[in-house]
Amino acid sequence: MQETILDKEKGLSASSSSASAKPKLGFLGVGWIGRNRMEVIAKHGAGEVAYISDTAVQNAEEAAKSAPEAKQLHSLEAILHQPEVDGVVIATPSAFHAEQSSLSLEAGKAVFCQKPLGRNVEETKRVVEAARKQNKLLGVDLSYRFTKAMQEVYKVVQSGELGHIYAIELVFHNAYGPDKAWFYEQKLSGGGCVIDLGVHLVDLALWSMNFPAVKKVQSQLFAKGKPISMAEGKVEDYASASIELEHNTHMQLSCSWNLPAGQEAIISATFYGTKGGVAFKNVNGSFYDFVAERYYGTKTEQLCSPPDDWMGRAAVVWANRLDKGEGFNEEAEEYIKVAEVLDKIYGR
Protein backbone atom coordinates (compact mmCIF):
# COMPACT_ATOMS: atom_id res chain seq x y z
CA MET A 1 0.00 0.00 0.00
CA GLN A 2 3.02 2.28 0.30
CA GLU A 3 3.18 2.10 -3.46
CA THR A 4 -0.51 2.93 -3.58
CA ILE A 5 -0.65 5.94 -1.26
CA LEU A 6 2.79 7.45 -1.64
CA ASP A 7 3.09 6.75 -5.35
CA LYS A 8 -0.43 8.13 -5.74
CA GLU A 9 0.80 11.26 -3.96
CA LYS A 10 3.68 11.57 -6.44
CA GLY A 11 1.37 10.90 -9.35
CA LEU A 12 -1.17 13.44 -8.20
CA SER A 13 1.55 16.02 -7.58
CA ALA A 14 3.00 15.44 -11.03
CA SER A 15 -0.34 15.52 -12.82
CA SER A 16 -1.59 18.56 -10.96
CA SER A 17 1.66 20.50 -11.27
CA SER A 18 0.79 21.34 -14.86
CA ALA A 19 -2.47 22.95 -13.79
CA SER A 20 -2.26 26.66 -13.12
CA ALA A 21 -5.00 26.91 -10.52
CA LYS A 22 -4.71 25.02 -7.25
CA PRO A 23 -7.59 24.44 -4.85
CA LYS A 24 -8.22 27.55 -2.80
CA LEU A 25 -8.21 26.59 0.86
CA GLY A 26 -9.37 28.16 4.09
CA PHE A 27 -7.53 27.22 7.28
CA LEU A 28 -9.58 27.23 10.47
CA GLY A 29 -7.34 26.96 13.52
CA VAL A 30 -3.65 27.62 12.93
CA GLY A 31 -1.98 26.58 16.15
CA TRP A 32 1.14 24.48 15.64
CA ILE A 33 -0.64 21.54 13.99
CA GLY A 34 -2.87 23.68 11.79
CA ARG A 35 0.04 25.89 10.80
CA ASN A 36 2.20 22.86 10.01
CA ARG A 37 -0.47 21.43 7.71
CA MET A 38 -0.87 24.81 6.05
CA GLU A 39 2.87 25.19 5.49
CA VAL A 40 3.31 21.65 4.15
CA ILE A 41 0.41 22.01 1.70
CA ALA A 42 1.94 25.29 0.48
CA LYS A 43 5.45 23.79 0.30
CA HIS A 44 4.23 20.95 -1.93
CA GLY A 45 2.17 23.30 -4.08
CA ALA A 46 -0.89 21.18 -3.36
CA GLY A 47 -3.22 24.07 -2.62
CA GLU A 48 -3.43 27.83 -2.32
CA VAL A 49 -3.54 29.23 1.20
CA ALA A 50 -6.35 31.71 0.58
CA TYR A 51 -7.83 32.38 4.03
CA ILE A 52 -6.74 32.01 7.65
CA SER A 53 -8.93 32.16 10.73
CA ASP A 54 -8.09 31.62 14.40
CA THR A 55 -9.66 32.94 17.58
CA ALA A 56 -6.15 33.45 18.98
CA VAL A 57 -4.74 36.55 17.31
CA GLN A 58 -1.15 35.45 17.85
CA ASN A 59 -1.78 32.19 16.01
CA ALA A 60 -3.24 33.98 13.01
CA GLU A 61 -0.39 36.50 12.96
CA GLU A 62 2.22 33.74 13.12
CA ALA A 63 0.53 31.82 10.31
CA ALA A 64 0.36 34.98 8.21
CA LYS A 65 4.16 35.15 8.24
CA SER A 66 4.20 31.85 6.33
CA ALA A 67 1.35 32.83 4.02
CA PRO A 68 1.50 36.62 3.55
CA GLU A 69 -0.87 36.48 0.57
CA ALA A 70 -3.65 34.88 2.59
CA LYS A 71 -6.50 36.99 3.94
CA GLN A 72 -7.34 36.82 7.63
CA LEU A 73 -10.99 36.27 8.52
CA HIS A 74 -12.69 36.14 11.90
CA SER A 75 -14.85 33.05 11.61
CA LEU A 76 -15.66 29.85 9.77
CA GLU A 77 -18.79 31.50 8.45
CA ALA A 78 -16.66 34.19 6.84
CA ILE A 79 -14.57 31.51 5.11
CA LEU A 80 -17.68 29.67 3.91
CA HIS A 81 -19.06 32.86 2.41
CA GLN A 82 -16.12 33.02 0.02
CA PRO A 83 -17.42 31.34 -3.16
CA GLU A 84 -13.94 30.59 -4.47
CA VAL A 85 -12.99 28.43 -1.47
CA ASP A 86 -12.76 24.77 -2.51
CA GLY A 87 -11.91 23.23 0.85
CA VAL A 88 -11.49 23.91 4.55
CA VAL A 89 -8.68 22.56 6.73
CA ILE A 90 -9.86 22.32 10.34
CA ALA A 91 -7.51 22.19 13.33
CA THR A 92 -9.64 23.45 16.22
CA PRO A 93 -10.47 21.81 19.58
CA SER A 94 -12.23 18.45 19.25
CA ALA A 95 -15.61 19.71 20.48
CA PHE A 96 -15.98 21.79 17.32
CA HIS A 97 -14.82 19.28 14.71
CA ALA A 98 -18.14 17.66 13.85
CA GLU A 99 -20.15 20.88 13.66
CA GLN A 100 -17.52 22.82 11.75
CA SER A 101 -16.94 19.95 9.33
CA SER A 102 -20.67 19.53 8.73
CA LEU A 103 -21.22 23.25 8.17
CA SER A 104 -18.32 23.34 5.71
CA LEU A 105 -19.58 20.32 3.79
CA GLU A 106 -23.12 21.65 3.69
CA ALA A 107 -21.73 24.88 2.26
CA GLY A 108 -20.25 22.86 -0.59
CA LYS A 109 -16.65 22.79 0.63
CA ALA A 110 -14.39 19.74 0.92
CA VAL A 111 -12.99 19.13 4.41
CA PHE A 112 -9.72 17.97 5.94
CA CYS A 113 -10.11 17.72 9.72
CA GLN A 114 -7.87 16.89 12.62
CA LYS A 115 -8.78 13.75 14.54
CA PRO A 116 -11.14 12.91 16.06
CA LEU A 117 -13.73 13.78 13.44
CA GLY A 118 -16.37 13.49 16.15
CA ARG A 119 -16.41 13.00 19.91
CA ASN A 120 -18.51 9.87 19.43
CA VAL A 121 -19.91 7.72 16.67
CA GLU A 122 -23.10 9.79 16.30
CA GLU A 123 -21.14 12.96 15.55
CA THR A 124 -18.86 11.07 13.19
CA LYS A 125 -21.78 9.58 11.26
CA ARG A 126 -23.33 13.00 10.90
CA VAL A 127 -20.22 14.38 9.21
CA VAL A 128 -19.80 11.41 6.89
CA GLU A 129 -23.44 11.64 5.85
CA ALA A 130 -23.02 15.35 5.10
CA ALA A 131 -20.02 14.56 2.91
CA ARG A 132 -21.94 11.85 1.10
CA LYS A 133 -25.01 14.05 0.56
CA GLN A 134 -22.94 16.91 -0.84
CA ASN A 135 -20.54 14.57 -2.70
CA LYS A 136 -17.55 16.31 -1.12
CA LEU A 137 -14.11 14.90 -0.32
CA LEU A 138 -13.68 14.29 3.41
CA GLY A 139 -10.29 13.64 4.97
CA VAL A 140 -9.18 13.12 8.56
CA ASP A 141 -5.59 13.60 9.70
CA LEU A 142 -4.84 9.98 10.61
CA SER A 143 -1.25 10.86 9.89
CA TYR A 144 0.59 7.68 10.89
CA ARG A 145 -0.94 5.83 7.94
CA PHE A 146 1.23 8.02 5.73
CA THR A 147 4.59 7.31 7.36
CA LYS A 148 6.92 5.23 5.20
CA ALA A 149 7.35 2.80 8.09
CA MET A 150 3.63 2.11 8.45
CA GLN A 151 3.26 1.80 4.70
CA GLU A 152 5.89 -0.98 4.78
CA VAL A 153 4.05 -2.72 7.61
CA TYR A 154 0.79 -2.45 5.68
CA LYS A 155 2.33 -4.05 2.61
CA VAL A 156 3.57 -7.05 4.64
CA VAL A 157 0.21 -7.53 6.38
CA GLN A 158 -1.65 -7.28 3.08
CA SER A 159 0.71 -9.71 1.34
CA GLY A 160 -0.46 -12.66 3.42
CA GLU A 161 3.15 -13.61 4.13
CA LEU A 162 2.52 -13.59 7.89
CA GLY A 163 -0.04 -16.39 7.59
CA HIS A 164 -2.97 -16.07 9.96
CA ILE A 165 -2.58 -12.89 12.01
CA TYR A 166 -3.86 -13.86 15.42
CA ALA A 167 -2.49 -11.07 17.63
CA ILE A 168 -2.04 -7.30 17.29
CA GLU A 169 -0.38 -5.28 20.05
CA LEU A 170 -0.94 -1.53 20.04
CA VAL A 171 0.90 0.89 22.34
CA PHE A 172 0.99 4.68 22.60
CA HIS A 173 2.42 6.03 25.83
CA ASN A 174 3.07 9.76 25.96
CA ALA A 175 5.23 10.81 28.90
CA TYR A 176 3.67 14.25 28.63
CA GLY A 177 0.04 15.27 28.65
CA PRO A 178 -1.89 17.81 26.57
CA ASP A 179 -1.15 21.41 27.47
CA LYS A 180 -4.65 22.69 26.71
CA ALA A 181 -7.28 22.57 29.45
CA TRP A 182 -10.07 21.45 27.11
CA PHE A 183 -8.43 18.05 26.65
CA TYR A 184 -9.32 17.25 30.26
CA GLU A 185 -12.99 18.21 29.91
CA GLN A 186 -14.98 15.21 28.71
CA LYS A 187 -17.72 17.32 27.11
CA LEU A 188 -15.13 19.14 25.04
CA SER A 189 -12.73 16.32 24.20
CA GLY A 190 -14.97 13.25 24.11
CA GLY A 191 -12.46 11.37 26.24
CA GLY A 192 -8.84 11.20 27.27
CA CYS A 193 -5.82 9.34 25.94
CA VAL A 194 -7.93 6.82 23.99
CA ILE A 195 -9.59 9.36 21.72
CA ASP A 196 -6.40 11.44 21.57
CA LEU A 197 -3.79 8.71 20.98
CA GLY A 198 -5.56 5.37 20.76
CA VAL A 199 -7.59 6.53 17.77
CA HIS A 200 -4.43 6.40 15.65
CA LEU A 201 -3.58 2.85 16.70
CA VAL A 202 -7.09 1.47 16.31
CA ASP A 203 -7.19 3.01 12.85
CA LEU A 204 -3.81 1.52 11.86
CA ALA A 205 -4.80 -1.95 12.99
CA LEU A 206 -8.26 -2.04 11.42
CA TRP A 207 -7.01 -0.43 8.20
CA SER A 208 -4.17 -2.94 7.86
CA MET A 209 -6.61 -5.81 8.40
CA ASN A 210 -9.19 -4.45 5.92
CA PHE A 211 -11.60 -3.38 8.67
CA PRO A 212 -12.79 -6.74 9.98
CA ALA A 213 -15.90 -6.98 12.13
CA VAL A 214 -15.37 -6.26 15.82
CA LYS A 215 -16.92 -9.00 17.96
CA LYS A 216 -16.17 -7.91 21.52
CA VAL A 217 -14.50 -5.07 23.42
CA GLN A 218 -13.46 -5.02 27.07
CA SER A 219 -11.63 -2.11 28.62
CA GLN A 220 -10.29 -0.54 31.79
CA LEU A 221 -9.88 3.21 32.20
CA PHE A 222 -7.83 5.00 34.84
CA ALA A 223 -7.35 8.60 35.95
CA LYS A 224 -4.40 9.38 38.24
CA GLY A 225 -4.05 5.69 39.04
CA LYS A 226 -7.69 5.07 39.96
CA PRO A 227 -10.29 3.18 37.88
CA ILE A 228 -12.98 5.39 36.39
CA SER A 229 -16.03 5.15 34.17
CA MET A 230 -17.04 7.72 31.60
CA ALA A 231 -20.27 8.25 33.53
CA GLU A 232 -18.22 10.10 36.16
CA GLY A 233 -17.47 12.83 33.67
CA LYS A 234 -13.72 12.37 33.98
CA VAL A 235 -11.21 11.59 31.23
CA GLU A 236 -8.75 8.72 31.35
CA ASP A 237 -4.98 9.15 31.39
CA TYR A 238 -4.35 5.40 31.09
CA ALA A 239 -6.38 2.80 29.24
CA SER A 240 -6.16 -0.85 28.36
CA ALA A 241 -8.55 -2.53 25.94
CA SER A 242 -8.97 -6.08 24.68
CA ILE A 243 -10.62 -6.19 21.26
CA GLU A 244 -11.74 -9.38 19.57
CA LEU A 245 -11.94 -9.27 15.78
CA GLU A 246 -13.53 -11.76 13.42
CA HIS A 247 -11.37 -14.65 12.16
CA ASN A 248 -9.94 -15.18 15.66
CA THR A 249 -7.70 -12.14 15.82
CA HIS A 250 -7.03 -10.57 19.22
CA MET A 251 -6.10 -6.91 19.48
CA GLN A 252 -4.64 -5.42 22.67
CA LEU A 253 -4.45 -1.65 23.14
CA SER A 254 -2.58 0.29 25.82
CA CYS A 255 -2.26 4.07 25.80
CA SER A 256 -1.59 6.85 28.27
CA TRP A 257 -0.72 10.42 29.09
CA ASN A 258 1.89 11.40 31.70
CA LEU A 259 3.14 7.85 32.12
CA PRO A 260 6.62 7.47 33.67
CA ALA A 261 7.74 5.66 30.51
CA GLY A 262 11.45 6.39 30.88
CA GLN A 263 11.40 8.23 27.55
CA GLU A 264 9.22 10.77 25.80
CA ALA A 265 7.03 8.26 24.00
CA ILE A 266 6.52 4.57 23.30
CA ILE A 267 4.60 4.03 20.06
CA SER A 268 4.11 0.72 18.28
CA ALA A 269 1.74 -1.43 16.27
CA THR A 270 2.88 -5.05 16.07
CA PHE A 271 1.22 -7.81 14.05
CA TYR A 272 1.92 -11.44 14.92
CA GLY A 273 1.05 -14.21 12.48
CA THR A 274 1.60 -17.94 12.20
CA LYS A 275 4.48 -17.27 9.78
CA GLY A 276 6.16 -14.28 11.39
CA GLY A 277 5.62 -10.76 12.62
CA VAL A 278 5.95 -7.14 11.57
CA ALA A 279 6.04 -3.93 13.59
CA PHE A 280 5.75 -0.17 13.27
CA LYS A 281 7.61 1.46 16.17
CA ASN A 282 9.20 4.70 17.23
CA VAL A 283 12.94 5.11 17.70
CA ASN A 284 14.60 6.18 20.97
CA GLY A 285 11.43 7.63 22.41
CA SER A 286 10.87 9.94 19.44
CA PHE A 287 7.43 11.22 18.44
CA TYR A 288 8.63 11.61 14.86
CA ASP A 289 11.10 8.86 13.93
CA PHE A 290 9.80 5.39 13.07
CA VAL A 291 11.10 2.07 11.81
CA ALA A 292 9.39 -0.91 10.25
CA GLU A 293 10.69 -4.28 11.39
CA ARG A 294 10.00 -7.81 10.12
CA TYR A 295 10.32 -10.66 12.61
CA TYR A 296 11.33 -14.26 11.88
CA GLY A 297 11.63 -16.15 15.17
CA THR A 298 14.67 -14.56 16.84
CA LYS A 299 15.74 -12.67 13.71
CA THR A 300 14.82 -9.04 12.98
CA GLU A 301 14.96 -7.45 9.54
CA GLN A 302 14.65 -3.69 9.27
CA LEU A 303 12.38 -2.69 6.39
CA CYS A 304 12.43 1.07 6.79
CA SER A 305 14.25 3.64 8.92
CA PRO A 306 14.39 7.42 9.37
CA PRO A 307 14.53 10.03 8.06
CA ASP A 308 11.00 10.44 6.77
CA ASP A 309 9.43 13.87 6.38
CA TRP A 310 5.89 12.61 6.99
CA MET A 311 4.36 15.47 8.95
CA GLY A 312 1.47 16.90 6.94
CA ARG A 313 1.68 14.22 4.23
CA ALA A 314 -1.96 13.22 4.79
CA ALA A 315 -3.04 16.81 4.16
CA VAL A 316 -1.00 16.99 0.95
CA VAL A 317 -2.57 13.78 -0.36
CA TRP A 318 -6.05 15.15 0.46
CA ALA A 319 -5.33 18.45 -1.31
CA ASN A 320 -3.96 16.63 -4.35
CA ARG A 321 -7.09 14.49 -4.50
CA LEU A 322 -9.21 17.62 -4.26
CA ASP A 323 -7.18 19.14 -7.10
CA LYS A 324 -8.09 16.13 -9.22
CA GLY A 325 -11.76 16.84 -8.65
CA GLU A 326 -12.49 13.94 -6.32
CA GLY A 327 -15.76 14.01 -4.43
CA PHE A 328 -17.06 11.75 -1.68
CA ASN A 329 -15.19 8.49 -1.21
CA GLU A 330 -16.69 5.49 0.59
CA GLU A 331 -13.42 5.17 2.51
CA ALA A 332 -14.94 7.79 4.81
CA GLU A 333 -17.00 4.97 6.32
CA GLU A 334 -13.75 3.87 7.98
CA TYR A 335 -13.94 6.89 10.27
CA ILE A 336 -17.25 5.57 11.58
CA LYS A 337 -15.85 2.08 12.16
CA VAL A 338 -12.98 3.47 14.23
CA ALA A 339 -15.38 5.68 16.20
CA GLU A 340 -17.55 2.64 16.96
CA VAL A 341 -14.59 0.87 18.56
CA LEU A 342 -13.71 3.92 20.64
CA ASP A 343 -17.31 4.20 21.84
CA LYS A 344 -17.18 0.56 22.96
CA ILE A 345 -13.92 1.17 24.80
CA TYR A 346 -15.66 4.03 26.57
CA GLY A 347 -18.71 1.90 27.31
CA ARG A 348 -20.99 4.16 25.29
Side-chain angles (χ1 to χ4, degrees), residues 303-315:
L303 304 178
C304 179
S305 61
D308 176 22
D309 187 17
W310 58 273
M311 290 285 286
R313 188 174 284 153

Side-chain angles (χ1 to χ4, degrees), residues 39-314:
E39 291 172 348
V40 174
I41 286 174
K43 174 185 174 183
H44 285 264
E48 178 185 336
V49 182
Y51 298 97
I52 295 171
S53 181
D54 198 301
T55 55
V57 175
Q58 64 270 28
N59 288 347
E61 291 177 346
E62 193 64 29
K65 294 177 183 177
S66 301
E69 301 302 317
K71 296 180 181 178
Q72 292 193 39
L73 299 176
H74 298 295
S75 67
L76 171 62
E77 289 72 18
I79 292 176
L80 299 182
H81 281 132
Q82 309 304 318
E84 71 274 21
V85 170
D86 299 299
V88 181
V89 178
I90 297 172
T92 56
S94 298
F96 307 121
H97 288 179
E99 181 180 5
Q100 291 171 341
S101 294
S102 295
L103 286 172
S104 299
L105 292 162
E106 289 162 2
K109 317 298 185 184
V111 166
F112 182 80
C113 186
Q114 279 303 306
K115 55 78 192 169
L117 183 58
R119 290 169 292 180
N120 51 53
V121 73
E122 288 79 15
E123 287 190 349
T124 306
K125 284 180 177 178
R126 197 178 312 140
V127 180
V128 173
E129 285 307 311
R132 177 183 283 106
K133 183 177 180 180
Q134 298 295 328
N135 190 26
K136 290 299 174 180
L137 184 64
L138 172 63
V140 176
D141 200 358
L142 295 165
S143 50
Y144 295 104
R145 283 194 189 192
F146 296 84
T147 60
K148 289 181 179 178
M150 191 60 214
Q151 294 285 315
E152 289 292 338
V153 168
Y154 183 93
K155 282 199 297 185
V156 173
V157 172
Q158 289 283 303
S159 72
E161 295 172 7
L162 298 181
H164 169 56
I165 296 175
Y166 57 88
I168 305 171
E169 294 180 355
L170 308 170
V171 178
F172 200 145
H173 296 310
N174 182 343
Y176 308 109
D179 58 0
K180 301 290 192 302
W182 65 263
F183 275 93
Y184 302 92
E185 296 289 337
Q186 188 187 127
K187 289 182 179 179
L188 298 180
S189 62
C193 60
V194 170
I195 201 166
D196 180 40
L197 308 177
V199 60
H200 284 296
L201 300 174
V202 171
D203 173 70
L204 292 182
L206 296 182
W207 169 62
S208 298
M209 298 292 289
N210 298 320
F211 284 85
V214 177
K215 297 172 64 177
K216 185 179 180 181
V217 177
Q218 292 180 300
S219 63
Q220 288 184 299
L221 307 175
F222 294 82
K224 301 186 185 305
K226 296 181 179 179
I228 64 166
S229 72
M230 293 300 284
E232 298 173 48
K234 299 178 181 178
V235 299
E236 78 288 355
D237 56 24
Y238 181 90
S240 176
S242 177
I243 302 163
E244 299 296 335
L245 306 178
E246 65 178 341
H247 309 309
N248 299 314
T249 300
H250 175 76
M251 193 159 80
Q252 187 68 34
L253 167 70
S254 296
C255 61
S256 68
W257 290 334
N258 296 307
L259 190 79
Q263 52 191 322
E264 290 191 313
I266 302 172
I267 307 169
S268 64
T270 309
F271 300 77
Y272 295 107
T274 53
K275 296 181 180 179
V278 68
F280 163 80
K281 56 194 295 190
N282 68 325
V283 181
N284 299 322
S286 174
F287 285 101
Y288 307 106
D289 294 332
F290 297 93
V291 295
E293 295 179 341
R294 181 77 182 270
Y295 303 140
Y296 307 86
T298 58
K299 177 187 174 184
T300 297
E301 173 191 359
Q302 192 169 92
L303 304 178
C304 179
S305 61
D308 176 22
D309 187 17
W310 58 273
M311 290 285 286
R313 188 174 284 153

